[in-house]
Amino acid sequence: MITQKEIAEKLGISRTTVARAINGSSLIKEETKKKILELVKEMNYEKNLIGSSLAVKKSKLIYGLVIESKNEFYTQEIIRGLENASKEYGAYNYKIKIQTTDINDPETQIEKLKELLKNEEIDGIIITPLNKEKIYDLLKPYLEKIKVISVGIRLHEEIPHIGPDHKKQGKIAGAIISSLLRKDEKLLVLDNGDDRISSKMYLEGFIERVAETEIKLVGPFLGNGIEKSIELINEICSKEEISGIYINRYAQEILERLPKKILKDKKIVTNGISKNLKKLIKKRVVIATVMEEIATEGYNAGKKMFDILYRDKSYEGNWEISKSHILFLENLEG
């Protein structure tokens, strides 16, 4: 009987990609999936679940504590990734139950976690910890029994984690804007605070990289939210000759509402991704954004949890740094 590994070798791809296609994952390109499934049919491949020792293991109870961000796209993509992993390994009685809490309400997340920990049957928790110290203290007595993986925000150096290096992503954005602006041109920078996940580190990396150049930084100014940021940008751009703009948080909401005369001829680079940000790139308001593979983070967290619970693998202290992508108009899909 042909194996997934042999199919992968014939197509020059990874065995994981083959497994995703066979299990109906949406995390691979349709063109790739089509090629795999055609070869699967041609080679008469059959999934062998009964013969696997994994198939007879008892079902595991896993919770995914996902945060609801103002950027709905982020939340939806993390959930999509977790659900894809749950679906892919569903034949082994593996299921991830999703629970969501507001990004601006860390106490509710803590209370929800306390309730979950009362369940003696719980086997695993995948979490984006809003209050790392409190969450870790709460989980510490249970770590022998319950397996934990953090996503997006690293919980603790001993806990396996999946997420990007946000500071590095800020540096990449800084490198792009540095190549677009000339010596002594002015770059306006707005700091709209810490979103508990990425914006603080985006800004830190961005400024660190731009500081290596001869571009003149105007700011960073505290934006104090969308409305105040719009007022501030209007005011500064009416007084100074600004050539570029960087906003570490609420960028899409602010840029959508700024007058065209303010945005004209401005070089704008940002971090993150959303549906509206893609529209701004298509409209040529934003030149580029440095983004992460959000759904893949959710999927990989689900896959790692499966490996830990069903295959007895250990990822203690491991940080799987997510790949970063630069999204320009030219490589924007659709």
Side-chain angles (χ1 to χ4, degrees), residues 72-134:
E72 293 179 3
F73 183 81
Y74 177 88
T75 306
Q76 290 166 359
E77 287 295 279
I78 287 287
I79 291 174
R80 183 167 74 91
L82 288 170
E83 289 178 341
N84 267 285
S86 187
K87 179 182 177 183
E88 183 165 325
Y89 297 105
Y92 305 108
N93 295 318
Y94 179 77
K95 184 173 177 58
I96 302 170
K97 294 186 176 182
I98 308 294
Q99 303 253 331
T100 61
T101 56
D102 193 296
I103 191 172
N104 296 310
D105 190 2
E107 288 305 313
T108 295
Q109 186 185 59
I110 289 169
E111 291 305 313
K112 185 160 283 192
L113 181 58
K114 285 179 180 178
E115 285 298 313
L116 293 180
L117 292 173
K118 291 177 183 177
N119 187 337
E120 293 183 1
E121 299 300 318
I122 192 166
D123 297 287
I125 292 173
I126 298 169
I127 185 170
T128 301
L130 295 174
N131 188 323
K132 296 190 293 183
E133 290 75 18
K134 285 187 177 181

Side-chain angles (χ1 to χ4, degrees), residues 263-318:
L263 295 172
K264 187 180 179 183
D265 298 327
K266 301 290 190 298
K267 304 294 191 298
I268 301 172
V269 174
T270 189
N271 288 103
I273 191 61
S274 69
K275 291 177 182 177
N276 286 352
L277 189 49
K278 286 183 179 181
K279 290 178 183 177
L280 288 168
I281 294 173
K282 287 180 179 180
K283 291 179 180 178
R284 301 177 187 271
V285 173
V286 174
I287 292 174
T289 187
V290 182
M291 57 172 286
E292 62 201 81
E293 294 180 333
I294 307 170
T296 303
E297 287 178 16
Y299 171 83
N300 286 347
K303 181 181 181 298
K304 265 190 169 59
M305 183 61 76
F306 177 85
D307 287 344
I308 292 168
L309 294 176
Y310 286 75
R311 293 185 171 130
D312 300 317
K313 286 192 177 182
S314 174
Y315 294 100
E316 185 177 348
N318 174 263

